Amino acid sequence: MTENNIQKIGIYPGSFDPITKGHLHIIRRASKLVDHLIIAVPDNTHNKSHMFSWDERVAMVKADLATMTGQHCEITVEKFDGLLVDYARAKGADCVYRGLRAISDFEYEFQMTGMNYALAPDVETVFLMASGQWQFVSSSFVKEIARLGGDVSEFLTPATAEKLRSKLQ
Ligand code: PNS
């Protein structure tokens, strides 16, 4: 809480197709910075094709959070549709958090932050650098490795790894 008892709300948006341990690490860290962290999952099927449905992605995030330890604030998971900045404003959020991995993320994140800022300068985007262990983990590569028969158990919780296994069967 801030001095005048106003709850600080943060949003961590993502496709989570599927949620990885890298995402969970960012969630834990972002939870130190706000009173309420909303994990916001868009449909996004207009511009991205997902392996998991909207409901499945939300369910996986919820299941992983239910077993997560070490978080510092209330964390909820919500679906959202439309523009992220509109959703952030509707939720009274102070900040949008994004994880940043290697340089390859930068261009995309830079553009998205710039566009979001142009649309809504009152909604700040804050980046948390992925820590060494999760620097190279991405949902896309995890799916590709799993599709080709590789072991992805290091990158996903057992529950999510199981969901990926059954999806690929
Ligand atoms: O995990 P991702 O796929 O990198 O997350 C991307 C996400 C959800 C943050 C982005 O696609 C998004 O904000 N979608 C909502 C629609 C929107 O606001 N688009 C304008 C972006 S400038």
Side-chain angles (χ1 to χ4, degrees):
M1 293 274 182
T2 54
E3 271 169 28
N4 41 8
N5 269 355
I6 296 173
Q7 239 209 353
K8 201 168 153 49
I9 300 170
I11 294 186
Y12 179 47
S15 301
F16 305 110
D17 185 46
I19 184 166
T20 69
K21 287 187 184 173
H23 291 128
L24 289 169
H25 194 239
I26 295 289
I27 290 172
R28 203 176 287 116
R29 288 166 60 200
S31 78
K32 288 185 201 161
L33 306 173
V34 290
D35 301 303
H36 178 192
L37 184 65
I38 302 171
I39 315 301
V41 188
D43 182 12
N44 254 6
T45 36
H46 61 281
N47 65 351
K48 282 191 175 184
S49 61
H50 298 298
M51 175 183 272
F52 293 94
S53 72
W54 199 7
D55 283 335
E56 285 171 329
R57 289 182 281 123
V58 168
M60 283 186 288
V61 176
K62 283 187 175 169
D64 278 3
L65 288 179
T67 58
M68 183 167 125
T69 55
Q71 58 270 50
H72 299 262
C73 75
E74 181 194 0
I75 304 178
T76 52
V77 184
E78 291 186 14
K79 281 179 165 182
F80 81 99
D81 221 353
L83 286 176
L84 174 63
V85 288
D86 289 343
Y87 176 76
R89 277 177 168 161
K91 289 286 161 184
D94 305 276
C95 213
V96 168
Y97 292 92
R98 294 284 290 167
L100 199 58
R101 294 165 304 186
I103 302 161
S104 51
D105 276 348
F106 187 80
E107 181 74 28
Y108 170 68
E109 296 295 339
F110 181 73
Q111 279 193 346
M112 191 160 60
T113 303
M115 295 298 274
N116 282 338
Y117 187 79
L119 293 170
D122 50 313
V123 178
E124 292 292 349
T125 303
V126 170
F127 291 97
L128 296 174
M129 292 285 196
S131 66
Q133 191 185 0
W134 309 118
Q135 194 61 244
F136 302 101
V137 179
S138 77
S139 299
S140 311
F141 277 126
V142 164
K143 284 181 286 192
E144 183 175 339
I145 292 165
R147 242 186 231 119
L148 299 172
D151 178 11
V152 292
S153 56
E154 193 186 331
F155 313 119
L156 306 175
T157 63
T160 298
E162 185 47 46
K163 288 271 184 299
L164 183 53
R165 249 190 310 276
S166 26
K167 181 62 89 180
L168 289 169
Q169 266 164 15

